[in-house]
Amino acid sequence: MKFQLKRLWFQILTFFSVNLGAIGLRTGFCYPLFYCHACPAATSACPLRAMEKSVYKGSSALDQLLYPILILGFFGTVTGRAICGWACPIGLLQRATSGPARKLKNYSIVKKLGRYRFEPYLRYTKYFMLIGFVFITAAYFGFMFTDICPIGVLTGTIPIIILEPYKFVPSSFFWPAIAIFILFIILIFIIERGWCRYFCPIGAFLAPFNKVSMLHIDVDQEKCVHCNLCAIECPMGIDVANMYRDPECILCGKCVNVCPRDAIAYGRF
Amino acid sequence: MKKFFAVQMSLLIIISISFTGMLYYTDIYEKIQGGIVEVLCLSCIKLYPLTSADFTFQTGTGEPHPDFIWESLKDGPIFLHYSEDACAACDVMFPSVLKFLQVEPEKDKSYHKLTSFKDKPVHYYYVYLDDEATSEVWLNTFGIYDKDHIHGLPMFSIVTINYAHSGIIEPYYTTLYGQFKDNDEQRIEFFGDLMDEAFVLYDENLPGFIK
C-alpha cells in the first residue's frame, strides 16, 4: 500500500505542476495528459487543441500537429500509459470516485451485464473520439471536441465561473457541454476509470505505445496461479494474468501490490 | 530482446531529436504559448465575456496609447479588429465587420484602410495575431485595448477622443469580445450605435484635440 501512497503523492504533485500558471508560469509546451489550457491556472496547452488547430477547416499546420504528437510520443515510448495512472489530474479525480464504482460491481445486475462480452468493444470508442471528434470534425466542420469537452467544463468553465462570476455569459455550447459533463460525472461514479476506459482521446493516443514502451507490467506465468486477485483489483478491468503489454494498462501497480505470489512486476525495456 | 530494445531506443532517439529540432528551428513554442496558452479559449470554456460597451481612458495594460493611434485619430475614430488562426467565433464575426465598414481584408493578413462610416472617415485596423508580418506595435495593442483583461478572441475596439480629467483630450475607447448578437444585421446595428457615439464624442472634442 505504501507504493500506492507514493503514486497518490505523485498525482498530487503533478496536479500542482500543471497548475503553475497560478503563479504566472505559462509555457509553450503541450501537456502529455488531459488538462485544459483554459483553466485560469494552466501551465501548458491541451495537446488535443493543438491537434485540432493543425487541421482546422482543412488547414494543414504540420508543426502544430507534430509538436503534441512528439511530446505524447516521448512519454508514451518511455512510460506507456503510466501517464494516465500516475500523472493525469483526471486520473486522480477518477481515483477519488472509484469507491462507489467498486461497490456497484457487487450488484447482481452489474455482474449479469459483465457476463456479456461487449465491454471490450466499447473501449474502441476512445479511438473514434480521437479520430472523429478531434481530427475529422475539426477538419471539415470546425471545433467540436473542445466545444463540448467535459474536462474543459471541469477545469476551465467551472473555475472561471467561480473566480469571475459576473464576467461571462453562457455560449450556445454551454448547456450541451454541461449535460455531457453531468454524464461524465455519473460515468466516473458508476464505472471505475470509465473516462479512461471508453472516452479519453489522450488515452487512445497513448494506448498503442504500451506495446513498445520501456516501462511495462510483466506477469510471470510460471508463478501465476490464476487466482484473479489482480483482475479484481485492476481499475481498468484488465484480465491481468493473461495480459501482455495490454494497451489498456495504466501501470498503476495495483496488481503488483495485490499479487500473493509476486508473479507480477514492473518490467523495464 | 536486443532487437526490441533497439526499436525502443531508435524510437526514443528519433522523437527526441525531432522534438529538440522543432524547438530550436521553428517558432512552435511561441506559437503554442501565444496562440493557445496565453489566449483565453472562449470555445473551450463555453462562455462569452459579459462586458459593457462603456468607453474608458484606462488602457488594459496601463501603457500609453501607441503613436499610430494618436496619428490616426487626427483623421477620425478608429476601429481595431483582432483575430487569429483557427478561431470559430472570429470566422463568424469576420463578415459582419466587412459589411459594416465596407473593407476587404484577407482573413490571414493584417490590414489597414482609411474607410468611412456614414461618409465620415474611420481608420480600420485588422490585426491578425498569427500573421508573422504584423508589426510588434500593432500586436502590442491587443493587450493595450484589452479593456476587461479577457485576452480572448475575436476582439473589437473602437477608439475616439474625449476630454479627460487631466484637462487634455485623450484617446477614449471601448472593447467588445467574442461572438455576439445573432446575425450580421444585428451586429452591424450594434457596431453602428457605438460608432455613432464615437463620432459624437469625436466631433465635440476635435477642435481641442488638434490644438
Side-chain angles (χ1 to χ4, degrees):
Chain A
M1 280 302 115
K2 217 174 169 187
F3 183 75
Q4 291 304 317
L5 197 63
K6 272 186 197 166
R7 188 167 72 91
L8 179 63
W9 276 112
F10 196 85
Q11 286 176 303
I12 292 169
L13 197 71
T14 314
F15 175 75
F16 283 108
S17 316
V18 300
N19 282 301
L20 287 176
I23 54 165
L25 182 66
R26 289 189 172 268
T27 72
F29 293 114
C30 291
Y31 289 125
L33 41 82
F34 213 151
Y35 207 69
C36 186
H37 48 265
C39 171
T43 321
S44 304
C46 171
L48 300 177
R49 179 66 172 190
M51 289 176 189
E52 275 189 319
K53 269 189 102 167
S54 71
V55 296
Y56 180 73
K57 290 192 175 168
S59 63
S60 53
L62 282 178
D63 55 346
Q64 287 195 54
L65 178 65
L66 198 59
Y67 189 65
I69 288 177
L70 290 173
I71 291 175
L72 288 167
F74 177 83
F75 285 96
T77 308
V78 178
T79 69
R81 271 185 88 177
I83 290 285
C84 310
W86 285 75
C88 181
I90 308 308
L92 176 64
L93 172 73
Q94 289 176 95
R95 190 177 179 174
T97 60
S98 63
R102 287 199 152 252
K103 280 182 190 155
L104 267 178
K105 273 187 190 172
N106 299 325
Y107 285 88
S108 59
I109 185 160
V110 178
K111 282 180 182 166
K112 234 182 229 177
L113 277 172
R115 277 186 218 122
Y116 294 102
R117 305 304 299 162
F118 61 86
E119 197 270 351
Y121 297 104
L122 288 181
R123 294 183 187 239
Y124 290 110
T125 313
K126 59 180 174 288
Y127 299 101
F128 285 111
M129 295 278 286
L130 177 65
I131 296 164
F133 279 92
V134 177
F135 287 107
I136 296 177
T137 54
Y140 292 101
F141 307 107
F143 298 127
M144 196 166 278
F145 187 77
T146 49
D147 280 334
I148 55 165
C149 174
I151 312 305
V153 173
L154 179 69
T155 61
T157 314
I158 293 173
I160 283 175
I161 289 174
I162 293 168
L163 291 172
E164 296 172 299
Y166 305 111
K167 209 166 171 181
F168 294 91
V169 287
S171 74
S172 52
F173 286 102
F174 181 79
W175 292 112
I178 290 290
I180 290 169
F181 174 67
I182 292 167
L183 292 175
F184 161 77
I185 295 294
I186 294 170
L187 173 78
I188 62 173
F189 272 101
I190 61 168
I191 299 175
E192 193 175 12
R193 289 236 171 212
W195 175 257
C196 303
R197 287 189 199 196
Y198 307 121
F199 299 110
C200 180
I202 306 276
F205 193 90
L206 289 171
F209 283 96
N210 270 7
K211 293 285 178 198
V212 292
S213 64
M214 293 177 165
L215 191 69
H216 55 95
I217 296 283
D218 269 341
V219 183
D220 186 338
Q221 292 298 343
E222 284 179 13
K223 283 187 189 172
C224 180
V225 289
H226 293 272
C227 63
N228 273 342
L229 279 176
C230 49
I232 292 165
E233 193 63 22
C234 179
M236 292 295 283
I238 303 168
D239 178 10
V240 182
N242 295 310
M243 81 165 188
Y244 175 71
R245 290 182 169 274
D246 194 302
E248 297 298 312
C249 178
I250 55 167
L251 289 91
C252 64
K254 282 189 168 184
C255 52
V256 178
N257 294 144
V258 81
C259 182
R261 294 176 63 93
D262 293 330
I264 309 170
Y266 279 99
R268 272 174 239 153
F269 303 107
Chain B
M1 196 64 195
K2 274 184 183 168
K3 211 174 171 183
F4 197 66
F5 179 65
V7 170
Q8 286 173 328
M9 287 312 290
S10 311
L11 195 59
L12 196 64
I13 290 167
I14 291 168
I15 288 173
S16 304
I17 291 174
S18 310
F19 182 69
T20 313
M22 275 195 91
L23 281 180
Y24 195 76
Y25 292 108
T26 71
D27 61 348
I28 186 70
Y29 185 89
E30 288 77 21
K31 254 190 203 174
I32 298 289
Q33 190 177 33
I36 299 181
V37 182
E38 288 180 343
V39 175
L40 178 62
C41 169
L42 295 172
S43 71
C44 300
I45 59 168
K46 299 93 184 164
L47 298 169
Y48 287 133
L50 179 65
T51 52
S52 74
D54 295 344
F55 284 79
T56 179
F57 290 109
Q58 185 65 44
T59 58
T61 54
E63 290 171 70
H65 298 269
D67 290 343
F68 82 92
I69 294 288
W70 286 93
E71 208 49 47
S72 302
L73 281 170
K74 288 177 184 167
D75 301 317
I78 302 163
F79 190 99
L80 294 154
H81 176 188
Y82 299 86
S83 180
E84 69 162 348
D85 174 31
C87 163
C90 301
D91 294 348
V92 173
M93 297 299 286
F94 190 76
S96 306
V97 178
L98 265 58
K99 278 184 203 163
F100 172 60
L101 287 174
Q102 309 292 314
V103 284
E104 288 170 336
E106 282 180 56
K107 214 176 214 172
D108 55 357
K109 298 258 184 315
S110 291
Y111 166 95
H112 166 242
K113 188 183 179 186
L114 179 60
T115 181
S116 64
F117 172 74
K118 294 182 180 171
D119 296 328
K120 291 175 177 177
V122 175
H123 275 279
Y124 171 73
Y125 287 92
Y126 177 61
V127 184
Y128 190 75
L129 301 187
D130 291 311
D131 178 9
E132 285 170 7
T134 310
S135 77
E136 270 308 304
V137 182
W138 283 25
L139 288 174
N140 278 346
T141 60
F142 180 51
I144 290 173
Y145 294 109
D146 185 9
K147 178 170 72 95
D148 297 304
H149 308 106
I150 300 289
H151 224 66
L153 288 161
M155 186 174 107
F156 311 92
S157 297
I158 294 173
V159 191
T160 182
I161 48 175
N162 199 6
Y163 192 80
H165 300 298
S166 58
I168 50 169
I169 291 166
E170 288 185 11
Y172 192 54
Y173 77 100
T174 187
T175 297
L176 305 157
Y177 304 84
Q179 183 185 329
F180 49 85
K181 305 288 177 190
D182 297 328
N183 52 49
D184 283 354
E185 285 68 38
Q186 288 179 6
R187 287 175 200 129
I188 288 168
E189 195 186 330
F190 187 68
F191 281 137
D193 291 345
L194 282 175
M195 202 50 102
D196 283 337
E197 196 180 335
F199 268 109
V200 169
L201 289 164
Y202 188 84
D203 293 341
E204 276 174 8
N205 293 287
L206 186 62
F209 183 68
I210 289 172
K211 266 190 236 167

